[in-house]
Protein backbone atom coordinates (compact mmCIF):
# COMPACT_ATOMS: atom_id res chain seq x y z
CA UNK A 1 0.00 0.00 0.00
CA UNK A 2 1.25 3.47 -0.75
CA UNK A 3 1.00 6.41 1.65
CA UNK A 4 -2.22 7.76 0.18
CA UNK A 5 -3.94 4.39 0.55
CA UNK A 6 -2.70 4.02 4.13
CA UNK A 7 -4.05 7.46 5.03
CA UNK A 8 -7.36 6.70 3.36
CA UNK A 9 -7.73 3.28 4.91
CA UNK A 10 -6.47 3.94 8.47
CA UNK A 11 -6.71 7.72 8.88
CA UNK A 12 -10.08 7.90 10.65
CA UNK A 13 -9.31 5.03 13.01
CA UNK A 14 -5.91 6.47 13.95
CA UNK A 15 -7.37 9.93 14.42
CA UNK A 16 -9.98 8.54 16.83
CA UNK A 17 -7.25 6.77 18.80
CA UNK A 18 -5.16 9.96 18.97
CA UNK A 19 -8.17 12.09 19.88
CA UNK A 20 -9.19 9.78 22.71
CA UNK A 21 -5.62 9.62 23.97
CA UNK A 22 -4.88 13.34 23.81
CA UNK A 23 -8.33 14.96 24.19
CA UNK A 24 -7.19 17.85 22.03
CA UNK A 25 -7.87 18.17 18.33
CA UNK A 26 -4.65 20.00 17.45
CA UNK A 27 -2.47 17.52 19.32
CA UNK A 28 -4.39 14.60 17.77
CA UNK A 29 -3.81 16.02 14.29
CA UNK A 30 -0.10 16.45 15.09
CA UNK A 31 0.11 12.87 16.35
CA UNK A 32 -1.62 11.55 13.24
CA UNK A 33 0.73 13.50 11.01
CA UNK A 34 3.76 12.25 12.95
CA UNK A 35 2.47 8.67 12.67
CA UNK A 36 2.19 8.92 8.89
CA UNK A 37 5.63 10.54 8.67
CA UNK A 38 7.09 7.57 10.52
CA UNK A 39 5.46 5.22 7.99
CA UNK A 40 7.03 7.16 5.15
CA UNK A 41 10.46 7.28 6.80
CA UNK A 42 10.59 3.64 7.89
CA UNK A 43 8.76 2.16 4.91
CA UNK A 44 8.29 -1.14 6.76
CA UNK A 45 7.43 -4.41 5.06
CA UNK A 46 4.21 -5.79 6.49
CA UNK A 47 3.31 -9.47 6.37
CA UNK A 48 -0.41 -8.75 6.11
CA UNK A 49 -3.09 -6.10 6.76
CA UNK A 50 -3.37 -7.00 10.45
CA UNK A 51 0.38 -6.55 10.92
CA UNK A 52 0.17 -3.17 9.16
CA UNK A 53 -2.80 -2.09 11.29
CA UNK A 54 -1.14 -3.20 14.54
CA UNK A 55 2.09 -1.40 13.63
CA UNK A 56 0.26 1.84 12.84
CA UNK A 57 -1.75 1.69 16.07
CA UNK A 58 1.40 1.06 18.13
CA UNK A 59 3.19 3.99 16.47
CA UNK A 60 0.19 6.29 17.01
CA UNK A 61 -0.07 5.30 20.68
CA UNK A 62 3.65 5.91 21.20
CA UNK A 63 3.48 9.29 19.46
CA UNK A 64 0.55 10.25 21.70
CA UNK A 65 2.57 9.25 24.78
CA UNK A 66 5.44 11.43 23.58
CA UNK A 67 3.12 14.40 23.07
CA UNK A 68 1.54 13.98 26.51
CA UNK A 69 5.00 13.71 28.09
CA UNK A 70 6.17 16.84 26.26
CA UNK A 71 3.05 18.77 27.26
CA UNK A 72 3.44 17.70 30.88
CA UNK A 73 7.09 18.70 31.05
CA UNK A 74 6.71 21.90 29.08
CA UNK A 75 3.44 23.24 30.36
CA UNK A 76 3.21 26.95 29.87
CA UNK A 77 0.67 29.68 30.19
CA UNK A 78 0.52 33.41 29.77
CA UNK A 79 1.09 35.12 33.13
CA UNK A 80 -1.52 37.77 32.41
CA UNK A 81 -4.06 35.07 31.62
CA UNK A 82 -3.16 33.15 34.78
CA UNK A 83 -3.55 36.23 36.96
CA UNK A 84 -7.23 36.39 35.96
CA UNK A 85 -7.79 33.11 37.81
CA UNK A 86 -6.08 34.12 41.03
CA UNK A 87 -7.99 35.38 44.07
CA UNK A 88 -8.14 39.17 44.44
CA UNK A 89 -5.45 39.16 47.14
CA UNK A 90 -2.96 37.32 44.96
CA UNK A 91 -3.85 39.44 41.95
CA UNK A 92 -2.85 42.59 43.86
CA UNK A 93 0.67 41.25 44.28
CA UNK A 94 3.18 41.92 41.55
CA UNK A 95 3.36 39.47 38.66
CA UNK A 96 7.02 38.96 39.55
CA UNK A 97 6.14 36.52 42.30
CA UNK A 98 3.83 34.62 39.98
CA UNK A 99 6.61 34.41 37.40
CA UNK A 100 8.95 32.94 40.01
CA UNK A 101 6.35 30.39 41.11
CA UNK A 102 5.88 29.33 37.50
CA UNK A 103 9.64 28.80 37.13
CA UNK A 104 9.68 26.32 40.03
CA UNK A 105 9.81 22.59 39.48
CA UNK A 106 6.26 21.27 39.09
CA UNK A 107 6.24 19.46 42.43
CA UNK A 108 7.02 22.70 44.30
CA UNK A 109 4.81 24.90 42.14
CA UNK A 110 1.96 22.47 42.82
CA UNK A 111 2.42 22.91 46.58
CA UNK A 112 2.32 26.70 46.38
CA UNK A 113 -0.76 26.75 44.15
CA UNK A 114 -2.68 24.16 46.17
CA UNK A 115 -1.85 25.75 49.52
CA UNK A 116 -1.85 29.48 48.91
CA UNK A 117 -4.14 29.86 45.92
CA UNK A 118 -6.61 27.01 46.41
CA UNK A 119 -6.42 27.02 50.22
CA UNK A 120 -5.87 23.30 50.82
CA UNK A 121 -4.40 22.10 54.12
CA UNK A 122 -1.25 19.93 54.15
CA UNK A 123 -3.08 16.65 54.76
CA UNK A 124 -5.42 17.44 51.84
CA UNK A 125 -2.47 18.27 49.57
CA UNK A 126 -0.78 15.02 50.59
CA UNK A 127 -3.90 13.11 49.56
CA UNK A 128 -4.22 14.94 46.25
CA UNK A 129 -0.55 14.43 45.36
CA UNK A 130 -0.40 10.90 46.80
CA UNK A 131 2.54 11.67 49.04
CA UNK A 132 2.99 11.64 52.80
CA UNK A 133 2.07 14.67 54.90
CA UNK A 134 5.75 15.00 55.80
CA UNK A 135 6.74 15.11 52.14
CA UNK A 136 4.06 17.71 51.41
CA UNK A 137 5.28 19.81 54.34
CA UNK A 138 8.90 19.55 53.18
CA UNK A 139 8.03 20.49 49.59
CA UNK A 140 6.02 23.49 50.74
CA UNK A 141 8.89 24.56 53.02
CA UNK A 142 11.36 24.27 50.14
CA UNK A 143 9.06 26.32 47.89
CA UNK A 144 8.69 29.03 50.56
CA UNK A 145 12.45 29.16 51.10
CA UNK A 146 13.02 29.48 47.34
CA UNK A 147 10.61 32.39 47.16
CA UNK A 148 12.25 34.09 50.17
CA UNK A 149 15.67 33.86 48.51
CA UNK A 150 14.29 35.29 45.28
CA UNK A 151 12.50 38.15 47.03
CA UNK A 152 15.60 38.95 49.11
CA UNK A 153 14.06 38.13 52.48
CA UNK A 154 16.22 36.45 55.09
CA UNK A 155 14.76 34.42 57.92
Amino acid sequence: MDAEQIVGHYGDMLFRICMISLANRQDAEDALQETFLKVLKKNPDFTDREHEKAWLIRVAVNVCKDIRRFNFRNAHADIEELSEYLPDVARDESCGLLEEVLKMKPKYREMVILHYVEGYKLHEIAGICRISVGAAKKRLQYARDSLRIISGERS
Side-chain angles (χ1 to χ4, degrees), residues 113-127:
I113 300 299
L114 289 173
H115 186 70
Y116 291 108
V117 177
E118 298 300 323
Y120 286 104
K121 306 230 181 293
L122 280 173
H123 70 279
E124 295 169 320
I125 294 171

Side-chain angles (χ1 to χ4, degrees), residues 19-140:
M19 190 65 187
I20 289 167
S21 178
L22 298 168
N24 176 306
R25 183 174 188 83
Q26 291 81 15
D27 286 343
E29 289 171 352
D30 288 347
L32 187 61
Q33 184 177 19
E34 183 66 27
T35 300
F36 289 131
L37 283 173
K38 287 186 186 253
V39 172
L40 293 174
K41 286 179 186 175
K42 301 270 185 195
N43 195 20
D45 289 327
F46 300 111
T47 55
D48 59 15
R49 294 277 262 211
E50 285 303 310
H51 179 228
E52 180 178 56
K53 181 179 177 181
W55 190 88
L56 288 166
I57 289 171
R58 176 59 28 215
V59 170
V61 167
N62 287 337
V63 169
C64 289
K65 283 180 184 178
D66 291 344
I67 289 172
R68 280 196 317 270
R69 188 177 306 118
F70 177 84
N71 288 342
F72 179 76
R73 290 181 180 164
N74 299 293
H76 65 281
D78 181 26
I79 290 174
E80 297 304 320
E81 183 181 326
L82 283 176
S83 67
E84 294 174 24
Y85 297 100
L86 294 175
D88 292 334
V89 175
R91 196 175 303 134
D92 292 339
E93 297 294 319
S94 80
C95 279
L97 184 60
L98 181 59
E99 286 179 21
E100 296 308 321
V101 169
L102 293 175
K103 289 179 187 174
M104 290 180 161
K105 287 183 178 179
K107 66 182 184 180
Y108 301 123
R109 178 177 54 223
E110 185 175 68
M111 296 295 121
V112 171
I113 300 299
L114 289 173
H115 186 70
Y116 291 108
V117 177
E118 298 300 323
Y120 286 104
K121 306 230 181 293
L122 280 173
H123 70 279
E124 295 169 320
I125 294 171
I128 291 168
C129 298
R130 296 182 179 171
I131 58 175
S132 68
V133 174
K137 187 175 183 178
K138 195 68 179 166
R139 287 181 187 181
L140 185 59

